[in-house]
Amino acid sequence: MSTTALSRAHAACYAPAAWRPAVAAVPRRLFSARPLWSADPMGPDPALATLLTVLDSADIGPGMRVLHVGCGSGYATALICHRTGDPALVTATAADPVEAAAARWRLAQAGCPAQVFIARPDQGYARCAPYDRIVSTDLFGHPPAAWRAQLAPGGRAAVPPRM
């Protein structure tokens, strides 16, 4: 087994059950030079653990329309695309045009050509609303009011708790 395959297999075993197939399938190396997991063989990278906790709490399922606010490198967006089963259902935003362009390129390389738009995080992205789920790993504490207006009935927003 290659080092990359071993790293993905190791990562997948620590991911929540619903996200294991996505973590195993999405090539992290396209999104970051940073190793997927820490040097500690007993546990995951804390940032990735937080990301997976937020994604798991969002309860994203196949066929859902999802907005990923603050997509960064695009790695979480790629995981979301894998989970929904269709990149056309996933919209991502970045505040920085350079970051958005880089995320678009990485997502295309990973076979997850989600739409990435430039938008302020607190505004969400109303043009493609309504969404079944809105997620962000930025520390908001509470989802902004603009996001609530963009959720479909029964929709859910997920962010990490404020520390």
Side-chain angles (χ1 to χ4, degrees):
M1 183 178 279
S2 73
T3 303
T4 301
L6 184 60
S7 177
R8 286 201 308 221
H10 184 224
C13 76
Y14 285 98
W19 290 91
R20 287 179 188 154
V23 171
V26 174
R28 173 80 170 144
R29 72 185 180 289
L30 289 175
F31 298 92
S32 174
R34 182 174 179 209
L36 183 59
W37 295 97
S38 66
D40 174 9
M42 299 307 292
D45 172 339
L48 185 56
T50 299
L51 165 70
L52 291 170
T53 299
V54 172
L55 292 177
D56 197 47
S57 72
D59 194 28
I60 297 167
M64 288 187 173
R65 293 179 44 78
V66 180
L67 172 63
H68 179 209
V69 175
C71 69
S73 71
Y75 180 66
T77 307
L79 294 175
I80 294 166
C81 288
H82 190 276
R83 184 83 178 116
T84 64
D86 183 356
L89 296 172
V90 181
T91 301
T93 65
D96 181 316
V98 173
E99 183 178 75
R104 271 186 221 104
W105 183 86
R106 289 181 188 112
L107 287 161
Q109 294 301 305
C112 305
Q115 300 180 83
V116 180
F117 297 100
I118 300 160
R120 288 183 17 207
D122 62 325
Q123 295 303 308
Y125 197 73
R127 193 172 108 197
C128 295
Y131 304 101
D132 299 303
R133 301 291 187 264
I134 299 176
V135 297
S136 178
T137 54
D138 290 335
L139 297 175
F140 282 103
H142 295 287
W147 294 12
R148 288 187 219 107
Q150 294 170 28
L151 285 168
R156 179 186 299 179
V159 298
R162 185 166 279 177
M163 305 273 182

